[in-house]
């Protein structure tokens, strides 16, 4: 069985492969996403239940991700 850690999350290996984390405490989800974004060479798509959750993750990723422009973050506009 593969060990799972939010500090070293497994990356997708085949087309259509995805990862799902649930019930991570505090900023654990953003920490896991930052780990994926720094390791993965392609785009990382995050789907949230609502705008508030998406905005919180965007702010937390700004803290966890390097501030060197290597990980661009985009958000859909509020319509």
């Amino acid at each position: 069985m593969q060990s799972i850690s939010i500090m070293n999350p497994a990356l997708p290996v085949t087309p259509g492969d995805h990862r799902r984390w649930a019930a991570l405490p505090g900023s654990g989800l953003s920490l896991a996403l930052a780990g994926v974004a720094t390791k993965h060479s392609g785009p990382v798509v995050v789907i949230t239940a609502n705008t508030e959750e998406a905005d919180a993750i965007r702010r937390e990723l700004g803290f966890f991700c390097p501030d060197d422009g290597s990980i661009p973050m985009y958000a859909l506009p509020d319509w």
Side-chain angles (χ1 to χ4, degrees):
M1 175 183 276
Q2 180 182 6
S3 174
I4 299 172
S5 167
I6 65 167
M7 299 305 290
N8 189 19
L11 296 177
V13 292
T14 60
D17 194 3
H18 64 276
R19 298 290 181 245
R20 184 177 299 188
W21 296 284
L24 296 175
S27 298
L29 176 59
S30 297
L31 180 59
L33 291 170
V36 167
T38 57
K39 287 173 49 179
H40 189 54
S41 61
V44 176
V45 177
V46 179
I47 300 172
T48 61
N50 54 53
T51 304
E52 292 80 18
E53 184 180 355
D55 192 48
I57 290 172
R58 184 191 53 79
R59 286 191 315 270
E60 292 169 358
L61 285 174
F63 176 80
F64 289 122
C65 291
D67 193 19
D68 61 5
S70 62
I71 302 173
M73 286 185 268
Y74 305 98
L76 293 176
D78 291 333
W79 292 334

